[in-house]
Each structure stands twice: as structure tokens, then as C-alpha cells.
Amino acid sequence: MGNYFQPEIETASQEQIKEWQSERLVKQVKHVYDNVAMYRERMDEMGVKPEDIKGVEDLHKLPFTTKDDLREQYPYGLLAKPLSECVRIQSTSGTTGRRVVAFYTQHDIDLWDECCARAIVAAGGTNEDVVHVCYGYGLFTGGPGLNGGSHKVGSLTLPMSSGNTERQIQFMTDLGSTILCCTPSYAAYLAESIHERGVKDKIKLKAGIFGAEAWTEEMRHDIEEKLGIKAYDIYGLTEISGPGVSFECSEQTGMHVNEDHFIAEVINPKTGEVLPDGEKGELVFTSITKEAFPLLRYRTRDICILSRKKCSCGRTHVKMTKPLGRSDDMLIVKGVNVFPSQIETVLLNKGYAANYQIIVTRVNNSDNLEVQVEMTPEMFSDSVAEIEKNEKELVGALKAMLGIYADVKLVAPKSITRSEGKAVRVIDKRNLYQS
Amino acid sequence: MEVKQISVFVENKVGNLAEVAKVMSDAGISLHAISLADTKDFGVLRLLVDDTYNAANVLRDKGYIFSLTPVIAVATTDEPGSLYDILTIFDEADINLEYLYDVNTGKKDKVYIIFKVSDNVLAQNILKKKGVRIITQEEMSE
């Protein structure tokens, strides 16, 4: 009962998948050991040789990779192929402002596109479909990923990128878009806009592929009802490739990891110990087919559960739950990764104290980021215009650092809640993570 | 000749203004003039008090953020044209006015207007030359 992009891979036996993984892992470990100094040094320190890795059962012997590693190795430290063989970069924000840059060979782009194609086909896509991509295009992986996937499927691809709702709806009605790809909050916003304009009956959408931010089942039902579609989740991260690391099928009970390309593990975030399927922990990925930017045991900081229960869609690849939380303090706001440390950096640079609080809300399915900053004697002025000028500069600097707009609110000193002497930095009122 | 104004940062929150008033009242400080410049999120409360030194200490103790701003207080009469005359003097001397507010003395022939301008020294010299009476901190408290 399935629609598959690559049935022989997507429904392969678990033994077969394991065999592919073992064979590719062995090759990949040798590739990174030979070409990436950081991995070679770490493996040497741990006394692990590439020959010691004989299959997936040896995966736990390999070192982890963290976001800090990516920051330290920026820009070329983790590159495993000569630049002459690389054809693209994508990028995402890092923890303290330095961005993460991922490199791709044509082979890497192809496999990424394939992963996205599987997601589109799982959502019912064929070459008869009109795939409307309003994820951002550019350094963000959302647009390019789904765009590439849609090409592989042979669908007519509308590279809309984000924003300009008027034009989105016009193309959607005039060109008969059938599959919508964007963040769930933008989908909800589009649904509202379509209703406001009374053009619901001119919309031909049948499915949506929504990712890059956490969303609840309530939000799914809301979007499905308003647009009259089935809404599918998709997961991915720039470090590993982009969207399509895993995707939802017709069962809508978790996302199948593309295990022929990425090995998923769940670990105890405190001890690093690998946990059995069914247990909640931090999701870790090893990319076993990527050439330019292959990562071993990359700690995503997303808290998940893996399940190998038989799926009614016929796919055999392991399923992961929606992220149930984070093991670090990263926030995803409007699909963009936001670290409190980035905000702190900007505040200190601009002469404010590091007394701040980040308040994230979701109103009408749209995220709002507010940064409350305590006023300091140095920043205070008798002139309201002066204070507002500084405030505007701060908003500008935050936008430059985060890539999204944050509302700044100046508050009285010592008004930010402190618990046991430690400030509460983030108040996320969205309640996105369901357990 | 300048008058020291206390400018206090107040967050826009129910009760915040009342709290400042209470702090002043508890310390036995009398307010001569009060003016509030507000935005969406915060306000700058401008005060002229009888005991600036004491008020500043009390505010500091209570953790308020404030500054002392020199402003010019001018005595004029409560009749048509009196404000216009002064503003014209500033205009002609190319002095930029940031804000102003008035202090009601309770007498029809005496109104104090407080000016915050771009150049206090220049403004005072010109006002004096034009025969406008400038009020001192002591006179304020009389």
C-alpha cells in the first residue's frame, strides 16, 4: 500500500539495511580518518583505528561530533574532499554567532535530493504534481532541499521562497499547486490568508510537507482542516544534509530515517551511552554516504525516541518521533535556530548588561521573539529619542546575528526573574513539545 | 543657574509610577514638578523636587535607574503669548528644544516653564539678555 520513490531501498529488509550501513560505515570511517585531521586525532587519542570498525555494531567506538566542533573547525576543518570537487555550501547559525558551513559534492546534493524525493512521494507526490516550495531559498537548506527533491520526482516545481503571501496565493490558485512545502507556521498563516480572501475553493492542494520547526498535533489538525490536505512532517539538519534526513509516511506516527544514508542512534545526553530503541534520549546521526562533509556521530541535541515497529506504509526504515525537546538551550523560532548565547553576545557588544530574558510566543500559529533587557545606568538617558535610537540599533544587531526580527523591550533593573540566583533566560510559551 | 531635574526610568507596568511617588512620599520629598515621557514599553519620569540630593540617594537605594539632568526654569506669566515669546528667542538663536513642561505655582502672575535645550549656557545668556527671568533651584523650592 505504498507509494515509494525507491521501493527496493525504502522497503528493504532490516538485515539488508544493516548490511548496507555496515559496508558504508567502514568505507566512511576510512574516508574521514584519511582526510579529516580532527577525526584522525580523536580516533588516535581513543586508540581506534579505521580497521577496528567492521560494521554498525562498532559504531559506539567512534567519537562524537558536536556543534562546538563545527564552530571550531570553521570553515574548512571538516572538509573531506578537495574544494575542486565541491559544488555548493549551505549554512546555518552556530552557537555564538559563527555560522556552520556545510559543503556538498554533486554526489552529496544528489543523495540529499533523493531523500527529499522520498518524502514528496510518501506525501503522494508524482510527476503530475505541482510542488509549491515556500521554504526560504539561499543558505537555508529548506528551499534547495525540497526543490531538488521535487525535480527528482519530476513534479513541476514552483521555487516561491518565503514571504509575499499575496503572490504565494496567486500562484497557488493560477498554477494549481498540489503539494505545499514550508514551515508549519507559514502553512497556518497561508491557510488563514486563503480563508480571509475567500479563495479556498480555488486551491487544489492535497498535501503539505512541513518542517524546520516544532509543531503540535493540534496545529497539524488545524492546518489539515483549514486547507483540506494531509500534513506531513519532515526532519533534517544542515549539518547532516538538510530536510529529508527523515520524513513522515501515510501513517503519520513518526518519521522514517533514511537509514541507507544516515545511521541514527539515541544516547543518554549526560553519559553518551547508547540507549536501546524505544528509550528517550538524544538523537545522533552518522552520515555514511556523504563525501564532502561527512560527520561521525553528530549530536543533534534533539530528544527523540526511535522505533522499529512494523509500519503500515510498508517502509522498513527506523522511525523517530518528533523531537520531544532539546538537550541544549537552542530555540527554533520561525524555523530559524536561535541560541541564547547569540543574543547575549549582541547585548554585550552593544553595551547592555547580560541581564536578559527571551520570551517566545506563538500567536495565530506565528512565532514571536521578544528580548527583554534590563536597563543599565550606562544605557539610560534623559532623552527618550536617545534610548529609542539605541533600542533600534539593538534590534538591527539582533536581526543581523539571528536572521530574524526580535522585539526588544527595555525593562526595569532586577525585574527579570531569577531563581536561586540564576537568571531564567528563556521562557517558551509555545508548549511545542508533547511527551 | 540651572535646575537639576531627576529623570527616572520606569517600565510601563501597572503600579510602577505609583511606586516612585510612594518612594518620594516615604522620604518626605516634595515634588515641585512632574512630567512623563512615555513610549510603548517604558517611560522617563522627570521630577523637580525640593531636596534633589536626598531624592537621588533614595532612588539609588531602591535600585532605580535615573540621571540628573540640568534644565532651565523660566518664570513667566500666565497670559497669551508668553510661551511664544520664549520659543521665538530660542528659534532666533538656533537653539534646539528637546522638551518642555510647566510648573503651576498657583498664582496667575507666576508660571515656571522648564526647558531642556541643546545648549544650556547659550540659552541662559540669551534669555538673560532678553530680560527673561531664570529661576534657581532655591527659588523653585520657595
Side-chain angles (χ1 to χ4, degrees):
Chain A
M1 65 159 272
N3 22 2
Y4 314 110
F5 179 63
Q6 290 160 307
E8 69 293 346
I9 296 171
E10 294 175 65
T11 63
S13 70
Q14 296 205 346
E15 292 70 36
Q16 174 64 70
I17 294 170
K18 206 175 157 190
E19 205 173 293
W20 284 328
Q21 286 187 331
S22 290
E23 180 194 314
R24 290 168 188 181
L25 176 67
V26 169
K27 231 176 101 194
Q28 188 71 296
V29 170
K30 188 170 174 348
H31 174 55
V32 299
Y33 187 88
D34 290 346
N35 294 290
V36 181
M38 183 191 87
Y39 283 124
R40 186 163 57 247
E41 282 159 19
R42 288 219 179 140
M43 286 173 63
D44 286 349
E45 262 169 41
M46 296 165 79
V48 183
K49 292 278 155 219
E51 310 77 88
D52 298 334
I53 308 300
K54 298 190 171 71
V56 279
E57 62 282 358
D58 296 321
L59 186 62
H60 67 98
K61 294 177 183 165
L62 292 166
F64 288 115
T65 310
T66 65
K67 195 138 185 159
D68 280 342
D69 293 329
L70 301 196
R71 202 186 70 217
E72 278 157 30
Q73 298 296 324
Y74 172 90
Y76 298 124
L78 291 168
L79 188 61
K81 278 279 180 184
L83 278 179
S84 57
E85 289 185 41
C86 297
V87 298
R88 170 107 62 87
I89 66 148
Q90 300 290 160
S91 173
T92 184
S93 59
T95 43
T96 51
R98 203 182 266 189
R99 295 186 68 88
V100 168
V101 172
F103 298 84
Y104 302 76
T105 61
Q106 187 56 52
H107 162 92
D108 296 338
I109 298 274
D110 287 341
L111 76 85
W112 176 24
D113 288 351
E114 251 172 50
C115 289
C116 288
R118 290 180 197 173
I120 293 170
V121 172
T126 68
N127 58 3
E128 304 289 333
D129 278 291
V130 178
V131 176
H132 188 109
V133 184
C134 39
Y135 282 113
Y137 279 65
L139 290 173
F140 178 55
T141 51
L146 271 306
N147 191 88
S150 174
H151 279 216
K152 290 264 180 204
V153 176
S155 311
L156 179 65
T157 313
L158 311 190
M160 301 300 300
S161 200
S162 50
N164 201 339
T165 303
E166 210 56 56
R167 189 175 60 195
Q168 301 282 2
I169 295 175
Q170 194 191 342
F171 273 64
M172 212 174 269
T173 50
D174 294 353
L175 297 177
S177 307
T178 54
I179 297 178
L180 175 64
C181 305
C182 59
T183 59
S185 46
Y186 193 59
Y189 179 75
L190 275 174
E192 289 288 334
S193 306
I194 286 165
H195 277 267
E196 274 166 22
R197 286 164 180 73
V199 292
K200 170 72 182 65
D201 55 338
K202 291 187 183 143
I203 298 289
K204 296 198 177 71
L205 289 177
K206 62 177 187 187
I209 301 172
F210 307 129
E213 64 186 13
W215 48 312
T216 59
E217 280 305 312
E218 289 75 35
M219 194 164 168
R220 188 208 298 267
H221 293 144
D222 186 49
I223 296 170
E224 288 191 330
E225 202 183 312
K226 285 207 176 105
L227 288 176
I229 61 171
K230 273 198 75 148
Y232 299 91
D233 205 350
I234 186 166
Y235 174 91
L237 56 174
T238 309
E239 295 88 330
I240 296 304
S241 64
V245 170
S246 66
F247 61 92
E248 232 173 25
C249 61
S250 52
E251 210 179 70
Q252 293 181 313
T253 56
M255 296 172 276
H256 290 283
V257 175
N258 284 311
E259 284 191 286
D260 50 326
H261 297 299
F262 315 108
I263 304 179
E265 298 170 278
V266 161
I267 62 162
N268 176 328
K270 292 207 175 74
T271 62
E273 170 207 1
V274 180
L275 301 174
D277 292 343
E279 277 193 36
K280 192 160 119 178
E282 183 184 328
L283 188 61
V284 171
F285 282 113
T286 300
S287 41
I288 47 175
T289 48
K290 273 176 73 181
E291 296 176 337
F293 199 73
L295 299 184
L296 299 182
R297 305 189 82 199
Y298 180 68
R299 295 188 58 165
T300 65
R301 303 291 172 185
D302 281 325
I303 302 294
C304 279
I305 301 168
L306 293 177
S307 162
R308 293 201 175 271
K309 264 188 228 147
K310 201 168 156 37
C311 184
S312 65
C313 79
R315 285 180 186 77
T316 47
H317 294 229
V318 71
K319 265 157 85 169
M320 58 178 267
T321 56
K322 270 177 189 298
L324 306 169
R326 297 274 305 171
S327 70
D328 65 3
D329 56 1
M330 188 181 89
L331 293 161
I332 302 179
V333 183
K334 295 177 186 167
V336 174
N337 299 350
V338 173
F339 291 92
S341 54
Q342 292 176 301
I343 291 172
E344 192 167 319
T345 304
V346 173
L347 290 177
L348 293 173
N349 282 345
K350 286 277 158 198
Y352 291 86
N355 281 337
Y356 63 94
Q357 194 160 55
I358 299 162
I359 296 168
V360 195
T361 49
R362 187 168 277 178
V363 181
N364 295 330
N365 291 315
S366 176
D367 288 344
N368 185 45
L369 180 65
E370 178 181 290
V371 180
Q372 294 193 348
V373 188
E374 286 186 359
M375 186 43 112
T376 62
E378 296 75 35
M379 296 312 292
F380 180 64
S381 158
D382 168 56
S383 158
V384 170
E386 182 72 23
I387 299 177
E388 287 190 322
K389 189 183 130 247
N390 289 337
E391 200 175 357
K392 253 189 208 131
E393 268 179 37
L394 180 57
V395 168
L398 285 170
K399 175 102 204 291
M401 171 69 95
L402 306 173
I404 53 168
Y405 172 79
D407 203 11
V408 167
K409 187 171 180 224
L410 295 169
V411 299
K414 303 201 173 60
S415 64
I416 288 172
T417 329
R418 288 163 171 80
S419 55
E420 292 161 17
K422 199 172 179 288
V424 178
R425 289 286 173 236
V426 179
I427 298 180
D428 194 335
K429 295 183 174 166
R430 297 175 296 180
N431 295 323
L432 294 175
Y433 298 120
Q434 300 160 318
S435 37
Chain B
M1 287 291 276
E2 289 154 348
V3 173
K4 286 270 187 265
Q5 168 194 276
I6 305 180
S7 312
V8 190
F9 177 81
V10 276
E11 201 185 319
N12 271 5
K13 235 188 210 170
V14 178
N16 273 10
L17 211 52
E19 211 183 281
V20 181
K22 185 171 187 312
V23 167
M24 294 287 114
S25 149
D26 288 352
I29 292 161
S30 167
L31 306 178
H32 293 321
I34 181 161
S35 152
L36 179 71
D38 68 327
T39 70
K40 184 166 65 64
D41 302 330
F42 67 89
V44 176
L45 182 67
R46 294 163 180 150
L47 304 170
L48 291 180
V49 301
D50 60 348
D51 187 344
T52 309
Y53 179 75
N54 191 14
N57 279 339
V58 172
L59 286 170
R60 189 173 297 117
D61 287 349
K62 294 281 179 192
Y64 281 96
I65 286 185
F66 64 93
S67 64
L68 295 178
T69 315
V71 291
I72 299 173
V74 162
T76 179
T77 49
D78 186 5
E79 60 189 9
S82 55
L83 175 63
Y84 174 72
D85 290 344
I86 298 170
L87 292 180
T88 308
I89 295 172
F90 287 151
D91 254 8
E92 283 168 358
D94 208 15
I95 292 167
N96 190 28
L97 178 68
E98 287 181 28
Y99 56 80
L100 65 81
Y101 54 96
D102 71 325
V103 184
N104 196 338
T105 61
K107 293 172 199 156
K108 181 142 176 72
D109 60 344
K110 199 162 78 172
V111 173
Y112 295 156
I113 304 179
I114 313 296
F115 293 99
K116 173 74 169 62
V117 295
S118 53
D119 187 337
N120 271 347
V121 178
L122 179 65
Q124 288 180 82
N125 288 339
I126 287 172
L127 288 172
K128 265 188 240 164
K129 230 181 261 174
K130 297 272 181 185
V132 177
R133 194 158 80 84
I134 298 173
I135 303 297
T136 63
Q137 191 95 32
E138 291 69 36
E139 282 175 283
M140 246 358 252
S141 304
E142 274 165 14

